[in-house]
Amino acid sequence: MSIFERDFDREIAQERQVAQRERRARHTDEELLTAIEAVRAEALAQGRAEGRAEAEAEARAAETEARSTALGRIAARLDTVLAQEAEHRAALERQILGYAATTAETVLPEILDSRAHTRALAQVRRGLRLGLGAPLLQIALPPASELRADVEALIAEHGLGAQARITEDPALVPGDARVTWEGGRLDYSFSRICAAIRDTLRARARPHPEPEDRT
């Protein structure tokens, strides 16, 4: 290539670009040390941040485990307290029922003596009302019952003398009465009611209550 074919302007521009790149690529020792310190500081900060994050995660996990353990202990303690409270309540109920059963042993016979006549007469009246219009009404009472005179007065009061018949049943005791008519029947025993109350209280007052006989 002859001297007249060279592009001196382009060559000068290229030389300037090369010189500029060389200047940019050249660093002093101070600049290198500064760059190294900057990189080291950045790495140290990143390490501290990662370590802090790991420590926080471990702390949260430890807190969650401690809370779970505490809740488990509280639940176990609560179960114990509830079980003891249930046992205490059951024992208290047995004491109250035992007192009620003992009281019933004394009170129920007195109630039976004082109220049996009135209750039985009320049920006979109810039976006559239910069987009203039937061709025959049969009224069964205990033998030699003081209730007979009141029942006879009740029959006369309602004008049922033609169809009502009074009989005595040895199986009945004071407080019992039975009225039967065609298609219906009413049985009443105040003594059995009192006995059922007494027996239920006795059974419930036991440490292990026996199941009620509903046969």
Side-chain angles (χ1 to χ4, degrees), residues 117 141 144-153 166-168:
H117 183 98
L141 302 175
S145 174
E146 297 178 357
L147 191 61
R148 186 181 186 100
D150 289 329
V151 171
E152 289 175 347
I166 299 177
T167 60
E168 293 184 353

Side-chain angles (χ1 to χ4, degrees), residues 122-176:
Q123 292 303 314
V124 170
R125 180 183 289 107
R126 178 168 174 261
L128 294 178
R129 186 168 60 249
L130 292 173
L132 191 64
L136 179 62
L137 289 166
Q138 292 185 326
I139 305 163
L141 302 175
S145 174
E146 297 178 357
L147 191 61
R148 186 181 186 100
D150 289 329
V151 171
E152 289 175 347
L154 191 60
I155 291 172
E157 177 185 343
H158 289 81
L160 299 174
Q163 64 262 44
R165 298 289 185 271
I166 299 177
T167 60
E168 293 184 353
D169 186 344
L172 301 181
V173 299
D176 294 356

Side-chain angles (χ1 to χ4, degrees):
M1 178 183 296
S2 65
I3 191 172
F4 300 103
E5 296 176 349
R6 293 177 60 183
D7 187 350
F8 290 101
D9 292 335
R10 183 172 62 77
E11 291 180 4
I12 291 172
Q14 290 177 347
E15 290 176 358
R16 288 177 178 174
Q17 291 177 356
V18 171
Q20 187 177 7
R21 283 198 297 270
E22 289 178 355
R23 284 195 302 273
R24 290 177 178 174
R26 189 180 298 115
H27 298 284
T28 64
D29 292 343
E30 291 78 3
E31 291 175 338
L32 289 174
L33 290 175
T34 300
I36 291 171
E37 288 299 326
V39 171
R40 181 181 299 167
E42 181 179 358
L44 182 60
Q46 182 178 358
R48 287 175 178 173
E50 292 176 353
R52 184 166 54 252
E54 291 178 358
E56 291 176 352
E58 291 177 357
R60 285 195 298 270
E63 182 181 358
T64 299
E65 183 178 359
R67 185 183 297 111
S68 177
T69 301
L71 288 175
R73 290 175 179 172
I74 292 173
R77 178 57 181 166
L78 183 59
D79 290 340
T80 301
V81 171
L82 291 176
Q84 292 174 346
E85 193 275 337
E87 292 176 359
H88 176 71
R89 184 174 62 251
L92 182 61
E93 289 176 352
R94 287 195 298 271
Q95 291 177 5
I96 294 173
L97 289 171
Y99 174 76
T102 301
T103 303
E105 297 285 350
T106 303
V107 173
L108 286 178
E110 296 178 1
I111 294 176
L112 182 61
D113 290 340
S114 63
R115 299 293 298 168
H117 183 98
T118 302
R119 296 303 304 163
L121 182 61
Q123 292 303 314
V124 170
R125 180 183 289 107
R126 178 168 174 261
L128 294 178
R129 186 168 60 249
L130 292 173
L132 191 64
L136 179 62
L137 289 166
Q138 292 185 326
I139 305 163
L141 302 175
S145 174
E146 297 178 357
L147 191 61
R148 186 181 186 100
D150 289 329
V151 171
E152 289 175 347
L154 191 60
I155 291 172
E157 177 185 343
H158 289 81
L160 299 174
Q163 64 262 44
R165 298 289 185 271
I166 299 177
T167 60
E168 293 184 353
D169 186 344
L172 301 181
V173 299
D176 294 356
R178 182 174 64 249
V179 181
T180 58
W181 61 93
E182 185 178 356
R185 176 184 178 121
L186 184 148
D187 285 280
Y188 181 77
S189 176
F190 193 56
S191 61
R192 284 202 299 270
I193 293 173
C194 292
I197 294 173
R198 180 200 60 209
D199 294 343
T200 299
L201 289 173
R202 285 176 177 172
R204 294 299 181 185
R206 297 191 184 100
H208 301 287
E210 297 178 0
E212 295 184 26
D213 185 3
R214 298 184 180 274
T215 56

